[in-house]
Amino acid sequence: MTGRALGRLLETARGPLGPPVRVDLGTEIGPLRELGQILAVCNGFYLFNAGLQVFRAGDEGLGPELARWNHPDTWKETYGKQAEGVFCFAQDLFGVQFAIIDNKQVVAFDPETAQRTPLGESMEEWAQWLLDDPQVRTAGPLATAWQDIHGALDHSNRLLPVQLFVLGGPYELANLRSVDAAEAMRIRGPLARQLRLASDGTIIDFHIGGNR
């Protein structure tokens, strides 16, 4: 079922986050099929000391649920059309979403800019991309350092920079706080929409606060 890279990830996974499930994502081919197979082996899990979280499927379990996470009113509505067509299955420490587009491509979706970065055409290629530079691509060392000080990160939370990275915020512990993952996405959606329309030198009016 899995290739060598996916096998290596599953060997080190911390989970499952939900009870055993059979996930039917409506296709017998492509990365969506592969995702269903992965969740059948381990229904949601962490990698790299919670630097990366793969969502569980089904009503019971810990952390975000796959179908609910991808429902527009969870967070995608705040991004408008920028979040259309991305089926998110995992997120890193800062809420960068890993997603499947058209069952053909795996991408990283930046929560601050909504930029989509192609990573491969299969879940195996996604896994290999992670393993090629895990310390940078999963933020595992920073996840460990933050939890050594503050304790285990809540299953439903990710780290949100106080000063957002795209606005010059540093990748430092003092600039990070634990926030509900969906709320952290909703906070950044309006910024991504402003940045899409902005030209170089435009002043961005952005304040972290309640967005519901």
Side-chain angles (χ1 to χ4, degrees), residues 7-70:
R8 288 175 59 190
L9 288 186
L10 287 170
E11 287 175 359
T12 61
R14 180 160 59 90
L17 301 178
V21 290
R22 180 181 180 276
V23 181
D24 183 0
L25 296 174
T27 180
E28 294 298 319
I29 59 173
L32 286 175
R33 171 64 171 170
E34 296 165 357
L35 175 60
Q37 293 175 324
I38 292 168
L39 295 178
V41 173
C42 189
N43 185 19
F45 51 90
Y46 291 110
L47 294 164
F48 308 104
N49 200 20
L52 188 141
Q53 178 187 48
V54 175
F55 305 132
R56 63 178 174 86
D59 294 336
E60 299 180 17
L62 302 171
E65 193 277 328
L66 184 67
R68 182 61 190 166
W69 186 257
N70 283 284

Side-chain angles (χ1 to χ4, degrees), residues 2-211:
T2 61
R4 180 175 297 180
L6 276 171
R8 288 175 59 190
L9 288 186
L10 287 170
E11 287 175 359
T12 61
R14 180 160 59 90
L17 301 178
V21 290
R22 180 181 180 276
V23 181
D24 183 0
L25 296 174
T27 180
E28 294 298 319
I29 59 173
L32 286 175
R33 171 64 171 170
E34 296 165 357
L35 175 60
Q37 293 175 324
I38 292 168
L39 295 178
V41 173
C42 189
N43 185 19
F45 51 90
Y46 291 110
L47 294 164
F48 308 104
N49 200 20
L52 188 141
Q53 178 187 48
V54 175
F55 305 132
R56 63 178 174 86
D59 294 336
E60 299 180 17
L62 302 171
E65 193 277 328
L66 184 67
R68 182 61 190 166
W69 186 257
N70 283 284
H71 195 280
D73 68 7
T74 300
W75 60 268
K76 287 184 178 181
E77 64 181 9
T78 65
Y79 286 81
K81 293 184 178 181
Q82 291 174 288
E84 290 183 356
V86 291
F87 186 77
C88 304
F89 63 87
Q91 60 185 343
D92 77 2
L93 184 67
F94 310 116
V96 172
Q97 301 296 302
F98 296 105
I100 296 168
I101 297 177
D102 296 331
N103 199 27
K104 296 178 180 179
Q105 189 177 58
V106 182
V107 304
F109 177 89
D110 189 307
E112 297 185 4
T113 65
Q115 180 178 350
R116 305 176 185 190
T117 302
L119 305 179
E121 297 179 354
S122 68
M123 295 296 291
E124 174 70 10
E125 290 182 4
W126 167 73
Q128 187 60 61
W129 178 84
L130 291 173
L131 291 170
D132 284 344
D133 195 358
Q135 292 194 345
V136 173
R137 293 174 177 174
T138 69
L142 199 55
T144 299
W146 191 92
Q147 291 175 101
D148 283 347
I149 296 171
H150 301 282
L153 192 62
D154 186 275
H155 295 290
S156 295
N157 286 21
R158 295 280 89 185
L159 297 186
L160 178 72
V162 177
Q163 182 179 358
L164 299 185
F165 300 134
V166 74
L167 300 180
Y171 286 83
E172 297 176 354
L173 295 180
N175 190 44
L176 301 172
R177 60 189 176 104
S178 177
V179 176
D180 176 82
E183 184 61 24
M185 296 299 291
R186 295 183 67 86
I187 285 171
R188 291 173 287 191
L191 172 64
R193 294 173 74 173
Q194 285 195 61
L195 290 175
R196 179 176 63 87
L197 300 173
S199 57
D200 289 345
T202 299
I203 297 176
I204 300 296
D205 180 20
F206 180 77
H207 306 277
I208 291 181
N211 290 319

